[in-house]
Each structure stands twice: as C-alpha cells, then as structure tokens.
Amino acid sequence: MIRGQAKSSAVTSGKWCEEEHQKSTIMSDICDFEWSNNRFRHNLTISDLKGYNKNEPTDRSRALKALKELIGASIDYALKDKSCFQDDEFLLRFLYARKFNVDDAFQLVINYHAYRQRNGPLLQRLSVLDENIQLALRDGFPGVLPNRDRRGRKVLIFLAGNWDYSSYSLVTVYRAMLLSLEKLLEDKQNQANGFIAIVDWTNFTFRQSSNLNPKVLKLMIEGLQDCFPVRFKAIHFIGQPWYVEAALAVIRPFLKEKTRERIKLHGGNLSTLHDCVARDILPTELGGEGPTFNPLNWYHELLESSQIATKPAPSYILSQPQYYTKSPAPSTPLAMTTTTTITTTTTGSDFLKSTKAAAVKIGVLTTKANDPAANTLLGVGSDT
C-alpha cells in the first residue's frame, strides 16, 4: 500500500510539474512575443530611416506613419495632449528638421511640447499684433531677405545696433523671432533647406551688450537648438566688438559642437562673408548688390498674413492670430482684440489696406516706448 501510494503521489507530482512547465512555457511565449513585437516595431522605426529620401513621396509617407505610431503609443507626459497626431503638415516640420530620422524627430516633438509646457508665459499670445513684437519687427528682429542663397536657404538679417533695449526686451526679440520662424516654416522649402542668419554687430554698444540677459540667451539656445523644428545651417557674425565675442565665449558651453562649427566670425572682413553668401542677394548695408535693407517689408507681410486665417489656430501652434476690429466707442475708431473672427465691415484688399492705416492710427508705426517690465517672463528678470 505504501509503495502504491508513493507511486500515485509521484504520478500526481509529475503531472503537476508538467502542467506548471506548460504554463511557464505559455507565459514565456507570450512575453517573448510582446517583447519581440515591440522591439521589432521600434527597430523598424529606427533602422529603416537611414534609407528614407525626403524627396520621395512614398518615403515621406512611411516616415510620417512611423512618427505617428510613436506619438500614438507614447506615454510621455509631454505628449499627454496628442492633438497634433493627425496634423501631417505640422509633423513633417519635425521630420525635415531631423533629416527624416523618425527617432530623432520623435524626440524633437517631445522636446517641443515639454518646452512649451515649461515656458507657457513666454509663448502666450504670440501675435504680430502684440505691440512689443511690432517694435522688434520694425527694427529688423528679424528681417528676411526676399531671395534665397545658392543652396535654397532663407536668409535672416539682424542689425544688432538697431536694438532699442529701453523699449523692448531680449525676450521680445526672441518672441518676434519665433513668430517669424513659424510663419516661414509653412513653406516646405524652408523646412527642407533650412536657414542662415547674418548678425551685423556694427554700432552695437557696450551698454546694449549689458542687456544681453544670460538667462534669456540660455532659453533661446535651448529652444532653437533642441526644441523647435528649425535648422540653422550657418550663423554669420560681422563687425562684432570684443565684448560680443566675450559674451559668445560665455554661452559657448551651451552650444552643441555642430552649432559651434556653424558660427562664423568675420569681423570687419566682408569678403569672407561674400565667400559664403552671394553678394547679389545681400543688401547694400552688407556690401551686397541688392536693394537697401527694409525690415518693414517682412513686418507688413506678417501683418497681412495674420488676417487671412479663417479659424482659430490649433493649440499646438505657437502663433495665435488676432484681428483688427472696429470699436463702438467713437473716440477710438480702431482697437486690437483677441476675437477669432473678423468683425470689421471691410473685406478683401480694402481690409488689408485698412489694417496698415489702422496701424498708423493706433501708433503701431510710432516710436512709442513700452514698459520693459511687461516683458519680464519666467523669472528671467528685466533686460533693462
């Protein structure tokens, strides 16, 4: 009996071990499938991207689909709002900015949303109708040349000596720059070819340099280098005094190696600038053959384009359109509001003309100084 019971117990134990082994095998198979499936999808996203060609519509579609899959599956807090998920035109900016490397583009999307969440006040009410932004744009921060360089890149001009730090801060200059870049990125050629910037430091005083707030400079570098879908292929400094080079030495540690290599210091030697940028597209102020630089051209283009929108901008877009509307008060015939519809009675070209006239009436084209303290955001302090 004892032998029989032992035999029966051994059989039962053997069956139990076999069942447990089968369960373990099934669970192992499930885990292996889930792991390998995720790994396969992730590797597919990364490995195939090196073969993507931005000029091939099929390749662009594949990269866009892969980016959407990563965004849709992401649990990153920065992507808690996935409203950009279906906006192909918006997502393509990030792919172009990272040469259609989906993994890098996905990280840039995360950085973009995280930066916006951290710096909400900086990016609120980003509109060409902001009076401080208008002051910066009219002084050429930035100005945009009408013609591209030989490589199809858009050229931005900054005449640093024009900066009136008593009227608008470095934060405002940054906001005007972001507004301009977002408008320029609507053109796929700018997304694909990138930008070059020419900063003319001639007549830039030591007093002006003392208002280059290091915290704001760091904020600008972080945004333009790591968070926004924009590619600066070259940054040319001309006429820079020693104190500008000293400031550059301070911020150099925050620059990536690739960015540092793209900053070219020409000093007073314009011939070296002309070796990089053809003279026929440069204004006369930079020794070029083109017309005199007029920053109001870009300002008016932004002003007029802001009136074309027929619906509110999505929440993930930086700029938010505002419209001129007629005020019921007879003493103020025109005022700026934040409504999302055009309530003026004029239409078409007449309306665009009236916006320019209105700009003059409300003092937009005057040199009225604004309180620099109003530009103090994010605890970065006043620039004055």
Side-chain angles (χ1 to χ4, degrees), residues 263-285:
I263 298 178
K264 309 296 182 183
L265 304 180
H266 301 282
N269 187 2
L270 290 180
S271 62
T272 56
L273 172 67
H274 300 155
D275 290 339
C276 302
V277 186
R279 292 183 59 190
D280 59 349
I281 71 167
L282 291 175
T284 54
E285 290 86 346

Side-chain angles (χ1 to χ4, degrees), residues 132-339:
N132 292 317
I133 289 179
Q134 288 181 343
L135 291 173
L137 288 171
R138 291 189 293 105
D139 282 344
F141 295 103
V144 181
L145 297 187
N147 298 318
R148 302 177 184 274
D149 73 349
R150 294 290 187 268
R151 298 183 182 180
R153 301 172 296 192
K154 205 65 176 174
V155 183
L156 274 59
I157 302 291
F158 299 84
L159 300 182
N162 287 355
W163 181 29
D164 183 3
Y165 58 86
S166 65
S167 298
Y168 54 91
S169 69
L170 187 60
V171 170
T172 296
V173 173
Y174 183 35
R175 281 165 55 82
M177 188 176 182
L178 291 178
L179 178 68
S180 298
L181 288 172
E182 182 164 88
K183 179 60 181 177
L184 290 168
L185 285 173
E186 293 178 3
D187 188 334
K188 280 192 173 60
Q189 190 171 354
N190 294 333
Q191 297 175 22
N193 298 334
F195 303 85
I196 64 173
I198 301 176
V199 186
D200 186 358
W201 296 97
T202 305
N203 299 323
F204 187 76
T205 66
F206 186 80
R207 180 74 177 272
Q208 287 173 309
S209 70
S210 65
N211 287 273
L212 293 173
N213 191 310
K215 292 182 179 179
V216 180
L217 290 175
K218 185 175 182 296
L219 194 69
M220 295 171 67
I221 292 171
E222 179 188 1
L224 296 173
Q225 182 175 247
D226 302 316
C227 301
F228 292 105
V230 58
R231 297 170 62 198
F232 279 99
K233 306 299 291 183
I235 303 173
H236 300 279
F237 283 5
I238 62 173
Q240 73 278 0
W242 65 268
Y243 39 85
V244 169
E245 295 191 14
L248 181 61
V250 172
I251 66 174
R252 189 175 292 273
F254 301 107
L255 302 175
K256 292 181 178 178
E257 181 178 357
K258 183 181 291 186
T259 305
R260 291 197 295 266
E261 292 174 352
R262 291 177 176 175
I263 298 178
K264 309 296 182 183
L265 304 180
H266 301 282
N269 187 2
L270 290 180
S271 62
T272 56
L273 172 67
H274 300 155
D275 290 339
C276 302
V277 186
R279 292 183 59 190
D280 59 349
I281 71 167
L282 291 175
T284 54
E285 290 86 346
L286 301 181
E289 301 171 356
T292 300
F293 176 65
N294 185 0
L296 289 180
N297 291 338
W298 176 244
Y299 164 67
H300 286 147
E301 185 174 338
L302 279 177
L303 183 64
E304 294 179 6
S305 66
S306 70
Q307 304 304 309
I308 298 175
T310 58
K311 59 182 180 180
S315 60
Y316 48 85
I317 296 294
L318 289 181
S319 60
Q320 298 297 320
Q322 294 175 299
Y323 304 96
Y324 289 117
T325 60
K326 288 187 176 180
S327 170
S331 58
T332 54
L334 268 174
M336 290 183 294
T337 70
T338 56
T339 56

Side-chain angles (χ1 to χ4, degrees), residues 72-127:
S74 174
I75 59 174
D76 194 292
Y77 181 77
L79 290 177
K80 61 179 181 178
D81 178 8
K82 299 180 184 294
S83 54
C84 69
F85 180 77
Q86 296 298 331
D87 192 336
D88 294 357
E89 295 301 318
F90 178 74
L91 295 180
L92 278 171
R93 299 180 183 185
F94 295 86
L95 288 169
Y96 275 113
R98 292 298 180 262
K99 300 180 180 180
F100 278 76
N101 183 313
V102 173
D103 197 54
D104 289 348
F106 173 61
Q107 186 58 53
L108 184 60
V109 172
I110 293 177
N111 293 349
Y112 171 86
H113 285 280
Y115 187 87
R116 293 197 63 187
Q117 291 167 18
R118 291 195 306 271
N119 305 302
L122 170 70
L123 305 174
Q124 285 180 356
R125 298 181 297 278
L126 198 65
S127 167

